[in-house]
Amino acid sequence: MQGATAVITGGAGFIGSNLAHRLLSMNCHVIVLDNLSRASVSSNLEWLREQHPHGLEVVVADVRDATAVRRCVARASHVFHFAAQVAVTSSLSDPEYDFDVNARGTLNVLEAVRATEKHPHVFYTSTNKVYGGLDDLELIETSSRYEPRNARVRDEGIAEDRPLDFHSPYGCSKGTADQYVLDYARSYDIPAVVFRMSCIYGPRQFGTEDQGWVAHFLIQALRAAPITIYGDGKQVRDLLFVDDLMAAFLAAEGHMDRVRGKAFNIGGGVDNSVSLLELFALLEARFGMRPALHRDLWRLGDQRYYVTNTERFGSLTGWAPRVGVREGVERLLLWLADTRGRLLPRSCDLGAA
């Protein structure tokens, strides 16, 4: 991608700033389009400017502004569409805003791409929430987690042949955008790919209770503040370190002829699956951190088990996750402690096998 011009909507956010850094390091020209409405993204933007005094262009605008989007996309060879309303809870309180940003904003991006003479490559980040609550998945409950009774799902995770089943306004808006991207790829021959992502974590993530839960747990632990978990804590997710996600984007770009017009489940897979209780146990055993836990009721559409089957994308591109949960959590914890000027507990077992 050397010499390319990439537009990243939501480019000052967690994933966007990591990708912007990676592309700028490859001598790409990067246009960050972001409305800077989310807390902490300004610090990501400041960091990008310090790291890359040349090649970075910032457009403060909203994806709901079709004119601003069109002006940026007209200059792009690649479009990474990350801008979104990201929380199920926020979608429940304001579903119209959720729809406007996630569905209409994506349509604005696609229409801007359709208007170009030579269509740029489009990468859209969807979510595992397009599969709904997975309520039909029969589970076995152990002392620390839920596991599928179906041996194939237990060994391989959730694949793309899983029927779509949107739950919550957030699931509907992201699922709508997901399907629009795939249809525009088919209807207008746009080279586009959809990533239905599981839990992404890593540096430059300022997690909250509603989004970025791994970072949120670590931030609370560093503050010695209590953590609220919804449900019993045995719900399982697979974790993908952000560096591995960056590698997946580049792998998709390098094999666009194979992946265009397709949606892929992207995550850490079975080997990087963890329940909330297991993450707490890791924080205590390896890092000497014992945050107090508060429990609350299950939330709408919360999947008791979601682990990604990445075989389809890996078979087409050669990509596979490389950073394990322990290493990834350690790297995120060190970054969070450094950015907050916090000392880690003396019992923190960093670097041990």
Side-chain angles (χ1 to χ4, degrees), residues 1 77-78 80 121 123 248-257 259:
M1 293 184 61
S77 58
H78 298 74
F80 296 86
H121 292 188
F123 304 80
F249 285 127
L250 295 177
E253 166 57 25
H255 298 85
M256 183 57 77
D257 59 326
V259 303

Side-chain angles (χ1 to χ4, degrees), residues 6-10 31-35 57-76 79 81 83 104-105 107-113 115-116:
V7 169
I8 307 176
T9 71
I31 303 171
V32 165
L33 187 150
D34 200 301
N35 66 5
E57 181 179 346
V58 177
V59 176
V60 180
D62 195 295
V63 289
R64 293 173 295 171
D65 182 346
T67 300
V69 170
R70 187 168 58 249
R71 287 172 178 167
C72 290
V73 169
R75 302 160 52 199
V79 175
H81 180 36
R104 184 69 201 187
L107 188 60
N108 286 341
V109 171
L110 291 171
E111 279 292 276
V113 170
T116 61

Side-chain angles (χ1 to χ4, degrees), residues 100 102 121 153:
D100 284 344
N102 290 351
H121 292 188
V153 177

Side-chain angles (χ1 to χ4, degrees), residues 206-318:
F206 300 91
T208 66
E209 191 172 69
D210 292 325
Q211 193 270 337
W213 63 275
V214 177
H216 171 66
F217 284 2
L218 296 185
I219 290 168
Q220 293 295 92
L222 284 169
R223 296 171 53 204
I227 296 172
T228 299
I229 60 173
Y230 297 87
D232 54 19
K234 295 182 181 181
Q235 54 264 53
V236 173
R237 299 291 184 271
D238 60 313
L239 308 185
L240 183 68
F241 195 69
V242 68
D243 287 1
D244 284 330
L245 178 61
M246 299 302 104
F249 285 127
L250 295 177
E253 166 57 25
H255 298 85
M256 183 57 77
D257 59 326
R258 298 181 179 182
V259 303
R260 61 185 294 164
K262 298 181 176 65
F264 298 96
N265 294 347
I266 300 292
V270 173
D271 291 342
N272 293 299
S273 68
V274 65
S275 73
L276 274 61
L277 294 181
E278 289 166 351
L279 181 61
F280 291 134
L282 174 64
L283 291 179
E284 180 171 358
R286 190 169 178 83
F287 306 115
M289 309 175 89
R290 301 173 182 83
L293 301 184
H294 292 169
R295 297 179 184 269
D296 207 333
L297 300 176
W298 288 95
R299 297 190 289 191
L300 178 68
D302 193 8
Q303 301 155 331
R304 282 170 168 75
Y305 181 91
Y306 184 87
V307 172
T308 306
N309 181 337
T310 63
E311 180 180 354
R312 182 164 170 254
F313 184 72
S315 66
L316 291 174
T317 66

